[in-house]
Amino acid sequence: MTFERTSTHHTVDHDFTAECRAGGDAPALAAAAALLEMGDRLGVVTVIQTGEPFTVAQLAQAADLRETGVAGYCEALESAALIEPVGTDGGTFRAVPDFDVIQHQAGFLSWTMNANRPFVENARDFLNDPDRGTGIDLRDGREVAVSSQWMGSKAFYPAALSALIEVKPAVAVDLGSGTCRLLIEILLALPDSRAVGLDLDHDSCAAARQAGDRAGVSDRLTVFERPIQSIATDPSPLEGADVIHAGFVFHDMFPEEENTAMEVFARCREALRPGGIMALTEAVPYLRNTRERRFSAAVTYFHHQFMKRRLQTEKEWEARLRDAGFSAVEPVELAFPTGRLFLARK
Amino acid sequence: MTFERTSTHHTVDHDFTAECRAGGDAPALAAAAALLEMGDRLGVVTVIQTGEPFTVAQLAQAADLRETGVAGYCEALESAALIEPVGTDGGTFRAVPDFDVIQHQAGFLSWTMNANRPFVENARDFLNDPDRGTGIDLRDGREVAVSSQWMGSKAFYPAALSALIEVKPAVAVDLGSGTCRLLIEILLALPDSRAVGLDLDHDSCAAARQAGDRAGVSDRLTVFERPIQSIATDPSPLEGADVIHAGFVFHDMFPEEENTAMEVFARCREALRPGGIMALTEAVPYLRNTRERRFSAAVTYFHHQFMKRRLQTEKEWEARLRDAGFSAVEPVELAFPTGRLFLARK
């Protein structure tokens, strides 16, 4: 029996510091991601992320929730340092200053672990049935979109945006434009420019038009509800473009629609004005550097084994864009691990 | 048009380094957690985590999977630096040296985001229906157990183990003993000791007896398939105990079974030999320090809002153990955020 202690707080005979280090940021990241995902399902994150002060009552009303429930949720967020009190009434809060960074980090957890959860849970079936087709449809489209937006906010979006604004395009086109967030930012930055968005999703196109209205740029924004593949045979939406952007959309066409992708690239090059550029943001497979390798492995494996998509290497994307007639292709490393921005000049 | 570049790799006009920092470890942690969870569902993690070399064929056979599927999974794990090649045949691997640390970190993501996912997805229902009972049963018991084991491996388990071994008990009891991992380690470290495990889960008790056999300690290990609450009226399993451990089991009895919990504490104190200790590992609510606050908030909120459990503060646990007659109660901080080990002396 050696139980003789006097201190009130100590760490028995084991390496407490090493054990804390071993956990790293994982507990805090996981907690933030779970609480923010919950906020997304509750319908309150879009209010909180504005950074404006809000009361529990306002949040409850905005999301059609009971106030007592929202008060408990806000207690948790405040204790987690995701929101902070405003004033002294105890019921008014706003997002903490680094809320955007935390939400960005949460996006990686949310996309990798939850949007792609069907692959994790059905892994045995996929590995044992080589004839099983793509599992893309197993995923919840909304979860994929929300988590991708959180991930992208600081990791690939700013690079593409600054590259496009730098060109000062008279006309900017986005293939796979979603809610046209990128194009609307370009229009707000460049008051003389016009923009054309193209997306096959009806709801995204409707949301894009509404967002254009709210931003006061709808007279300069045209939205086409069409698949990107349609550009191969009807490139009219590209007319007059100085820049054509495509973010994480072309890899979905490999391997089955490789020929179509090449035709779309060719139509893009033909449509661009002299000096114009195509900006392609894409994932490249199985990178080995320390910063990117782990996330790169998950992204690549999800695509190869479960979505049945063949990610193209940096060299392959460069070669394809040159084959389509582009004169120079420049790869740009992104903060988003395993992502590359390819700037292809006409 | 200002698109004039010569370098082959650069980062357009935005703060690449700041954006990489913003992502932090999140992408790598998320990827590791998803790949390891997948390995758990595939049934291969228990083979990999031994640290012994394995071939693709062996792994496939052990988990009843097709070799081509396992080869693809191993390609991903190797690229993610979760396993490493052994030799030059290209088909033999073993876990990387820090596999245990990565698995530990993955446990936090897995528990917080997936084992508790029903709370995230059903948050609206819970917040809008104050009469809704506990959601504990919505969770997958296996996911909770596996992720808890990964989390605990380096964060609370070593502290409890070293505290118990330090006492050199003739008889050690574990209330909520699961697969008796803790007790078996004590028995292996102390060849003259005996141990008694108590758990209400039939499968866990069966697995515990098997594990005792494999470790060659079954003659010194007794397993009772009983709820902890039964100790209040029949404390016979505690007979002769020098130490009684209970890890994250008592909080489940608050608030409804508070009286029973107090009776169990009293029976434990009475049964302990002179100088014996009770070692209670528990979660405490809403801590505010930087290291623990975010994870503490998620753990607390899950318990209060969804599981309808009222976590007891450090002061409350101390008071309860003193009320049960223990003469001294010492709280020990754990690497596991929001966890505390209470060492209560008879």
Side-chain angles (χ1 to χ4, degrees), chain A residues 107 159 175 180 228 231 249 314 317:
Chain A
L175 302 179
C180 285
I228 294 157
I231 292 292
V249 289
E314 191 172 304
W317 282 120

Side-chain angles (χ1 to χ4, degrees), chain A residues 30-286:
Chain A
L35 289 170
L36 291 182
E37 275 201 352
M38 194 181 281
D40 172 67
R41 306 301 187 268
L42 290 172
V44 298
V45 163
T46 47
V47 177
I48 296 171
Q49 72 188 9
T50 64
E52 297 298 317
F54 58 85
T55 65
V56 167
Q58 286 167 344
L59 209 56
Q61 194 178 6
D64 190 23
L65 290 166
R66 287 171 59 99
E67 267 189 59
T68 47
V70 173
Y73 179 66
C74 286
E75 179 188 20
L77 289 193
E78 194 280 325
S79 198
L82 293 169
I83 61 176
E84 61 190 13
V86 177
T88 54
D89 67 1
T92 306
F93 303 94
R94 72 174 155 232
V96 293
D98 61 342
F99 185 87
D100 58 337
V101 172
I102 301 164
Q103 187 177 28
H104 167 56
Q105 295 175 334
F108 286 101
L109 275 65
S110 198
W111 183 85
T112 313
M113 300 192 63
N114 288 327
N116 291 299
R117 173 134 300 266
F119 305 153
V120 172
E121 297 300 346
N122 295 291
R124 284 194 69 87
D125 292 346
F126 277 88
L127 263 64
N128 276 345
D129 180 3
D131 297 327
R132 179 158 182 170
T134 175
I136 290 179
D137 294 342
L138 294 177
R139 304 190 302 175
D140 178 317
R142 191 180 168 282
E143 279 187 29
V144 174
V146 169
S147 59
S148 296
Q149 196 177 323
W150 293 4
M151 277 197 297
S153 61
K154 297 199 170 287
F156 47 80
Y157 187 82
L161 182 64
S162 59
L164 300 188
I165 288 177
E166 206 178 317
V167 175
K168 299 192 176 58
V171 177
V173 177
D174 194 10
L175 302 179
S177 48
T179 57
C180 285
R181 195 172 145 233
L182 184 78
L183 292 178
I184 290 169
E185 287 212 45
I186 291 173
L187 293 176
L188 291 171
L190 304 170
D192 297 327
S193 298
R194 286 193 307 112
V196 176
L198 191 137
D199 205 288
L200 55 72
D201 185 60
H202 175 76
D203 293 347
S204 295
C205 290
R209 291 189 187 100
Q210 284 175 4
D213 276 343
R214 276 198 305 275
V217 299
S218 56
D219 55 324
R220 297 185 285 137
L221 176 65
T222 310
V223 180
F224 290 99
E225 187 179 323
R226 282 175 47 174
I228 294 157
Q229 288 86 337
S230 71
I231 292 292
T233 49
D234 173 13
S236 58
L238 309 177
E239 214 167 297
D242 301 296
V243 301
I244 301 172
H245 174 260
F248 295 104
V249 289
F250 274 96
H251 69 265
D252 261 344
M253 298 164 74
F254 290 83
E256 291 92 342
E257 298 179 292
E258 176 180 329
N259 293 338
T260 310
M262 292 305 292
E263 285 173 39
V264 175
F265 284 151
R267 294 301 90 73
C268 287
R269 196 201 62 83
E270 290 157 12
L272 279 171
R273 291 197 202 171
I277 61 165
M278 175 147 202
L280 192 71
T281 314
E282 271 303 343
V284 296
Y286 281 141

Side-chain angles (χ1 to χ4, degrees), chain A residues 2 5 8 10 22 37 42 63 66 78-80 105 114 117 124 128 166 288 293-294 330-332, chain B residues 2 5 8 10 22 37 42 63 66 78-80 105 114 117 124 128 166 288 293-294 330-332:
Chain A
T2 61
R5 299 186 185 288
T8 55
H10 83 304
E37 275 201 352
L42 290 172
R66 287 171 59 99
E78 194 280 325
S79 198
Q105 295 175 334
N114 288 327
R117 173 134 300 266
R124 284 194 69 87
N128 276 345
E166 206 178 317
R288 306 283 301 187
R293 67 184 296 176
R294 200 157 279 159
E330 177 193 14
V332 178
Chain B
T2 60
R5 301 187 184 286
T8 55
H10 82 305
E37 276 201 352
L42 289 172
R66 287 172 58 99
E78 194 281 324
S79 198
Q105 295 175 333
N114 288 327
R117 171 134 301 268
R124 285 195 66 87
N128 276 345
E166 205 177 316
R288 307 282 302 187
R293 68 183 294 175
R294 198 157 281 159
E330 177 192 16
V332 178

Side-chain angles (χ1 to χ4, degrees), chain B:
Chain B
M1 287 290 183
T2 60
F3 182 65
E4 286 298 331
R5 301 187 184 286
T6 50
S7 72
T8 55
H9 252 116
H10 82 305
T11 59
V12 293
D13 182 23
H14 66 114
D15 191 342
F16 176 73
T17 313
E19 284 156 14
C20 290
R21 257 201 317 273
D25 286 340
L29 280 171
L35 289 169
L36 291 183
E37 276 201 352
M38 194 181 282
D40 172 67
R41 307 302 187 267
L42 289 172
V44 298
V45 163
T46 47
V47 177
I48 296 171
Q49 73 188 11
T50 63
E52 295 300 314
F54 59 85
T55 66
V56 167
Q58 285 166 344
L59 209 55
Q61 196 178 4
D64 189 25
L65 290 165
R66 287 172 58 99
E67 266 191 60
T68 48
V70 173
Y73 179 67
C74 286
E75 180 188 20
L77 289 193
E78 194 281 324
S79 198
L82 293 169
I83 61 175
E84 61 189 15
V86 177
T88 54
D89 67 2
T92 306
F93 302 95
R94 73 175 153 228
V96 294
D98 61 343
F99 185 87
D100 59 338
V101 173
I102 301 164
Q103 188 176 26
H104 167 57
Q105 295 175 333
F108 286 101
L109 275 64
S110 199
W111 183 85
T112 313
M113 300 192 62
N114 288 327
N116 291 299
R117 171 134 301 268
F119 305 153
V120 172
E121 298 299 346
N122 295 292
R124 285 195 66 87
D125 293 346
F126 277 88
L127 264 64
N128 276 345
D129 180 3
D131 298 327
R132 179 158 181 168
T134 175
I136 290 179
D137 293 344
L138 294 176
R139 305 190 303 176
D140 179 317
R142 191 181 168 280
E143 280 187 27
V144 173
V146 169
S147 58
S148 296
Q149 196 177 322
W150 293 5
M151 276 197 297
S153 60
K154 295 196 173 288
F156 48 79
Y157 187 81
L161 183 63
S162 59
L164 300 188
I165 288 177
E166 205 177 316
V167 175
K168 298 193 176 58
V171 178
V173 177
D174 193 11
L175 302 179
S177 50
T179 57
C180 285
R181 198 172 142 233
L182 184 78
L183 291 178
I184 290 168
E185 287 210 47
I186 291 172
L187 292 176
L188 291 171
L190 304 171
D192 296 326
S193 298
R194 287 193 306 113
V196 175
L198 190 138
D199 204 288
L200 55 73
D201 186 60
H202 175 76
D203 292 348
S204 295
C205 289
R209 291 189 187 99
Q210 284 176 5
D213 276 344
R214 276 198 305 274
V217 298
S218 54
D219 56 325
R220 297 185 283 136
L221 175 66
T222 310
V223 180
F224 290 100
E225 187 180 323
R226 282 176 46 174
I228 293 156
Q229 288 85 337
S230 71
I231 292 293
T233 49
D234 174 14
S236 58
L238 308 178
E239 213 167 296
D242 301 295
V243 299
I244 301 173
H245 174 260
F248 295 104
V249 289
F250 274 97
H251 69 266
D252 261 344
M253 297 163 76
F254 290 83
E256 290 92 341
E257 298 178 291
E258 176 180 329
N259 293 337
T260 309
M262 292 305 293
E263 285 173 37
V264 175
F265 284 151
R267 294 301 90 71
C268 287
R269 197 200 63 83
E270 289 157 14
L272 279 171
R273 291 198 203 170
I277 61 165
M278 174 146 202
L280 191 71
T281 313
E282 270 304 342
V284 295
Y286 282 141
L287 297 179
R288 307 282 302 187
N289 69 76
T290 306
R291 182 177 80 84
E292 302 181 275
R293 68 183 294 175
R294 198 157 281 159
F295 188 68
S296 180
V299 170
T300 308
Y301 189 56
F302 287 161
H303 280 88
H304 289 189
Q305 175 66 61
F306 301 98
M307 298 192 243
K308 313 294 185 191
R309 293 291 175 262
R310 186 56 45 183
L311 295 186
Q312 308 290 298
T313 64
E314 193 172 302
K315 291 263 169 285
E316 284 169 337
W317 283 120
E318 285 187 57
R320 290 186 185 286
L321 288 162
R322 284 180 197 277
D323 286 351
F326 287 96
S327 66
V329 183
E330 177 192 16
V332 178
E333 192 172 338
L334 297 174
F336 184 75
T338 215
R340 293 290 181 271
L341 171 62
F342 298 92
L343 297 174
R345 198 186 326 191
K346 178 159 184 172

